[in-house]
Amino acid sequence: MGIRPVTIAGEPVLHRRAAEVESFDGELRALVEDMYETMDAAHGVGLAAPQIGVGLRLFTYQYANDDGVPERGVVINPSLTLSKVSGADPDPDEEVEGCLSVPGLSYPLKRAEWARVKGFDADGKPLDFEATGWFARVMQHEYDHLDGKLYIDRLNDRWGRRARKQVKKEGWGIPGLTWLPGTDPDPFGH
C-alpha cells in the first residue's frame, strides 16, 4: 500500500488498547514496510500502528541513539520497564514533544530517563534493549499509543488545558480525521 493516512486525535483506534500481534507473516511485514514509508514521509521519529488506523501492538522508530541499538527498527508486542519519572515540572525548552496524530502542536512533558524495552522484530525474533534520554522518550511515546494514550493525555494541568483548548479549536476530537504525509502540508514544517 505504501504511505498511509495518519489518524488525528479523536479517531477511536487512538483511544483504546491495541490487540497483540498473533501472526508474524508476510501481511505483518507489509504493514511494517508501510509504517516505515509513512513515518519517513511524515519526518517522524516513531509511528505506532494505531496512528495509521491499525489496532495492533507494534511501532516503528528512527532515532540515532547512544545505547547501541540500531537507529531504525520495529518493536512488536512490546513491554516497557521504566525508571522513576521526576515529579518536577517539565522544562518548556528541553522536554517538548510533538505527535503526528496531534499535528503541528508541541507541549512539554516529563518522561522517564531510562526504559528497558522487550518485544519482537518483524520475524518474531526477541528484542531486549535499554533506551536512555530522548530515545527512551521515543519508546515511551510510541508505547503509549498501543495503550490508547496520546502524549497530550499525560500533560500536567497547565499544559493539558492548553492542549485541550487547541484540539477543540482545530476541530479535532471526532472520528474520521486524517492527514497524508508527503501529500498534505507538513504540520511540523519539515
Side-chain angles (χ1 to χ4, degrees):
M1 284 181 68
I3 298 170
R4 298 198 192 184
V6 175
T7 58
I8 294 176
E11 186 63 32
V13 71
L14 290 173
H15 305 285
R16 66 175 174 252
R17 188 177 196 283
E20 298 286 326
V21 171
E22 295 180 3
S23 298
F24 291 80
D25 55 15
E27 190 175 317
L28 177 66
R29 284 187 287 281
L31 171 61
V32 170
E33 287 306 312
D34 287 354
M35 289 175 65
Y36 281 135
E37 284 187 52
T38 304
M39 179 180 68
D40 293 346
H43 305 284
V45 296
L47 183 72
Q51 292 184 273
I52 58 168
V54 178
L56 291 174
R57 296 186 72 77
L58 71 145
F59 62 80
T60 55
Y61 66 87
Q62 174 77 41
Y63 195 82
N65 62 81
D66 297 324
D67 299 309
V69 179
E71 69 179 51
R72 185 174 178 87
V74 61
V75 184
I76 300 169
N77 295 338
S79 66
L80 262 62
T81 304
L82 305 175
S83 62
K84 186 175 183 200
V85 179
S86 164
D89 284 340
D91 184 316
D93 296 319
E94 301 293 326
E95 296 177 304
V96 175
E97 282 187 35
C99 179
L100 299 176
S101 291
V102 188
L105 303 183
S106 300
Y107 296 99
L109 175 64
K110 269 293 183 207
R111 293 276 192 184
E113 287 292 318
W114 175 90
R116 182 172 185 177
V117 181
K118 292 184 177 183
F120 300 91
D121 68 12
D123 296 318
K125 294 179 184 161
L127 298 171
D128 186 348
F129 61 87
E130 294 182 9
T132 59
W134 272 91
F135 187 43
R137 179 179 294 269
V138 170
M139 297 295 105
Q140 293 167 78
H141 181 109
E142 299 309 326
Y143 181 84
D144 275 353
H145 280 297
L146 307 182
D147 282 343
K149 292 188 184 331
L150 298 175
Y151 86 101
I152 59 174
D153 298 328
R154 291 194 176 275
L155 298 175
N156 67 21
D157 288 342
R158 174 184 176 200
W159 296 108
R161 279 192 303 276
R162 290 183 187 186
R164 286 188 298 277
K165 185 176 179 179
Q166 191 63 38
V167 165
K168 185 176 181 178
K169 181 180 175 186
E170 296 290 339
W172 302 335
I174 60 171
L177 301 177
T178 63
W179 68 280
L180 187 60
T183 300
D184 292 332
D186 185 326
F188 291 99
H190 295 105

